[in-house]
Each structure stands twice: as structure tokens, then as C-alpha cells.
Amino acid sequence: MIDTKEFYDYLVSQNMDFFTGVPDSLLANICACIRENSPSDRNIITANEGNAVGIACGYHIATGRYGVVYMQNSGEGNAVNPLLSIADEDVYSIPLLLMIGWRGEPGTKDEPQHKKQGKVTLALLEAMGIAYEILEDDYRPQIDRAVTYMREKSRPFAIVVRKGTFSPCKTAVEQADYPLSREEALQCVLDCIPEEDFIVSTTGKTSREIFEIREARGQSHAGDFLTVGGMGHTSSIALGMSLGTDRNVYCIDGDGSFIMHMGAFAVNADKAGANFKYILNNNGAHESVGGQPTVGFKIDIPAVLKAVGFQQVMTAQTPEEIAAAMEQLAKVKLGALILYTHQGSREDLGRPTVSPSENKKAMMERFRAEK
């Protein structure tokens, strides 16, 4: 296991003191260390991984130094375009250090959404022509080789990080002063959604909590699409679903997901019918991967939704406010509800026992039964 602070210090000693990216559970300790030790303008948590690559490219052009871009391997998909069309040697030839958490590594136990990504992580880097090494306990020679490569080739270099690589490192959690946790707010929301309507829920703990609430209540999961992967695309899935049914489709999203692909909401507002209902839980954090902050509490999300065409945007913090807002949301066209909650989840929070393919099959049967 690598001492996280010593690793951070070694990067800094090699003039790599600018960090940007999207937090990952496998990188939670190094991300916490970066946050604890780097000035806020030297650790930019971005909307998505492609943004981070762009920022690192701009930083190198201005300073000649190498930015460190951290991400989960699922974020490679968001980063492919700027890596190939900006940083690649056939275009601008810009060096940067990628630090990629290897979820779904073959031979390890992981969640279903990571299996394929884990299998192709290294192959995808190879297909893009990006040199890489899998990080080892004796990491200093690897970092030295990466620096030499970036200096001589002027190209990106990747270090791939396995689970359990970094020693524990904690960072202060910015806790919001709101009365409800996300799970408590979700319980109130589910109380108000008719059994015959549909739900599309975002990645991470939101979907896990919805699954467990249904289990505890002895309710069916057939109307719930638990979006275990594809962060940022929940609302697009819900839009497509709403266009194929007359029933209400409730999209239950998170602030990190909303921010990651915010441009989708202009299209959602333009194309959605009266049955598209949007609910966003805002706790100002990437809680599912370590609690690193988003800009969710720093931006006016209701104003953003109104600006792109949502006709009524409500906010709620208490059970009573949620119940009143949900009643109104069911009536209006292009309505949205923003829930403000604090971080925190149960230690014994489980994961869905239904596979993604089983979830899809059950939901499609529900749709067929509606027609």
C-alpha cells in the first residue's frame, strides 16, 4: 500500500501540483489528500472528465507544467474526445498525467456497471496511443518515467490505480444544515408517486436507497429504472422513456449528475411532454465516491432550469414541503423539484439484488402491460 501523503508530496516535488478531475471511490484517499493539501485554485473538481482534460491542456499551454487529471475508468468515455482531438500528438501534442481508478479490474469483484469498463480500460488507452503503467508500491521510478515521457514526447501518460492502492486519508466533509438526509427525502418522494407511474433514478446511493426502500415496504421494483452507470445521463433516459408512454415518468437525479451533462436539460425542456417530472437531490457533494464537493450549493439550479424552459421549479427541505411540492409537480407540465439535503447514509446500505438486465426486463414487461 502506498502512503498517500508521500505520493502526493512526490508529485508536487516533480512540479505536478495542479490537479483536476472527477472524484472516484478507488481514488477517494488521494482525492482527499489533494483537497487537504492543495489550494482551491490548484484542485478543480470538474463537471465531467472531458472538462478536466481541457483544463489541464490550457494550464500546460500557459505554464509549461503538467496537470494531473484524476478520474474513474468510466470517465475515459467523457475524456476520449479531448484526449484525441486536442491533446493527441497528431493535433496539439499536449502532455498531462492521467490518474485512473480501475473499477471492474478482471479477476476482482465489482458492480455490474464496471465489468465491461474494467475489461477494456487498458485496451482503450492502447487504442488511443496513450502510454500507461499500473501503479505499484515502488511508485517513484514510475512517476519519473512518466515525467521523462511527457517531457520528451509531449504526450499524455496514464497511471492506472487498483483498489486498495492508497493508504487511508480523510478530509473534512462540508455538511449542509438541512434537516433531511437523501434517504429520508426519498422516502417522502416515494410516498407521493402512484404505483402505476415510473421512476428513473441516478447512479450511486440514490438508486441503492430507492431499491432498499422498496424492499422494506414490500413493493415491486418493476417501475423503477436504477441507472447504475452512465452518470449524467439519467434525465436523458427518463426523457426517452416519457416519450414512449402516457404515464408519468419521474427522474430522480443528483447534483453531480445534473452538473455533469447540464446541456441535456435544454433538450429535455424543449422535447418533454407533460408526463416528464424532474426531481433533483442537491447535497452539494459527490457523496457516493467520498463526499468531495460539487458546485451544487454555489449555483442557482432553479434559475438554470427556468432559463432552459422548465415552467415551474419548486424547492423543498422538509417532509411537509416535499409532500406539497409533489402534489403540485404531478399537475404541472415541465415541472421540477429541487430537494436540499445533508450528506450521510446508513452503514448497512446494501446494493440492488436485481441485475441490470433483470431490471430492464421487468420494466419492459410493465410497459407492455400498460398498452
Side-chain angles (χ1 to χ4, degrees), residues 14 111 282 367:
Q14 301 302 303
E111 300 308 308
N282 186 8
F367 275 113

PDB file of all heavy atoms in Angstrom, residues 14 111 282 367:
ATOM      1  N   GLN A  14       7.844  16.870  -8.238  1.00  0.00           N
ATOM      2  CA  GLN A  14       8.117  16.764  -9.673  1.00  0.00           C
ATOM      3  C   GLN A  14       7.382  17.852 -10.470  1.00  0.00           C
ATOM      4  O   GLN A  14       7.147  17.713 -11.676  1.00  0.00           O
ATOM      5  CB  GLN A  14       7.702  15.380 -10.185  1.00  0.00           C
ATOM      6  CG  GLN A  14       8.414  14.221  -9.489  1.00  0.00           C
ATOM      7  CD  GLN A  14       9.917  14.334  -9.626  1.00  0.00           C
ATOM      8  OE1 GLN A  14      10.448  14.401 -10.735  1.00  0.00           O
ATOM      9  NE2 GLN A  14      10.622  14.353  -8.493  1.00  0.00           N
ATOM     10  N   GLU A 111     -19.196  -4.101  -9.101  1.00  0.00           N
ATOM     11  CA  GLU A 111     -20.587  -3.963  -9.513  1.00  0.00           C
ATOM     12  C   GLU A 111     -20.718  -4.146 -11.024  1.00  0.00           C
ATOM     13  O   GLU A 111     -19.763  -3.932 -11.779  1.00  0.00           O
ATOM     14  CB  GLU A 111     -21.117  -2.590  -9.093  1.00  0.00           C
ATOM     15  CG  GLU A 111     -21.067  -2.353  -7.591  1.00  0.00           C
ATOM     16  CD  GLU A 111     -21.720  -3.467  -6.807  1.00  0.00           C
ATOM     17  OE1 GLU A 111     -22.888  -3.816  -7.115  1.00  0.00           O
ATOM     18  OE2 GLU A 111     -21.076  -4.021  -5.908  1.00  0.00           O
ATOM     19  N   ASN A 282     -30.093  17.688  -4.065  1.00  0.00           N
ATOM     20  CA  ASN A 282     -28.881  18.502  -4.011  1.00  0.00           C
ATOM     21  C   ASN A 282     -28.315  18.470  -2.594  1.00  0.00           C
ATOM     22  O   ASN A 282     -28.855  19.080  -1.684  1.00  0.00           O
ATOM     23  CB  ASN A 282     -29.191  19.941  -4.428  1.00  0.00           C
ATOM     24  CG  ASN A 282     -27.935  20.801  -4.521  1.00  0.00           C
ATOM     25  OD1 ASN A 282     -26.825  20.311  -4.418  1.00  0.00           O
ATOM     26  ND2 ASN A 282     -28.121  22.099  -4.728  1.00  0.00           N
ATOM     27  N   PHE A 367     -44.206  -1.898 -19.103  1.00  0.00           N
ATOM     28  CA  PHE A 367     -44.626  -1.007 -20.195  1.00  0.00           C
ATOM     29  C   PHE A 367     -45.570  -1.729 -21.144  1.00  0.00           C
ATOM     30  O   PHE A 367     -46.568  -1.157 -21.590  1.00  0.00           O
ATOM     31  CB  PHE A 367     -43.401  -0.487 -20.960  1.00  0.00           C
ATOM     32  CG  PHE A 367     -42.775   0.734 -20.335  1.00  0.00           C
ATOM     33  CD1 PHE A 367     -41.507   0.680 -19.759  1.00  0.00           C
ATOM     34  CD2 PHE A 367     -43.458   1.937 -20.308  1.00  0.00           C
ATOM     35  CE1 PHE A 367     -40.939   1.791 -19.194  1.00  0.00           C
ATOM     36  CE2 PHE A 367     -42.903   3.067 -19.742  1.00  0.00           C
ATOM     37  CZ  PHE A 367     -41.633   2.999 -19.182  1.00  0.00           C
TER      38      PHE A 367
END
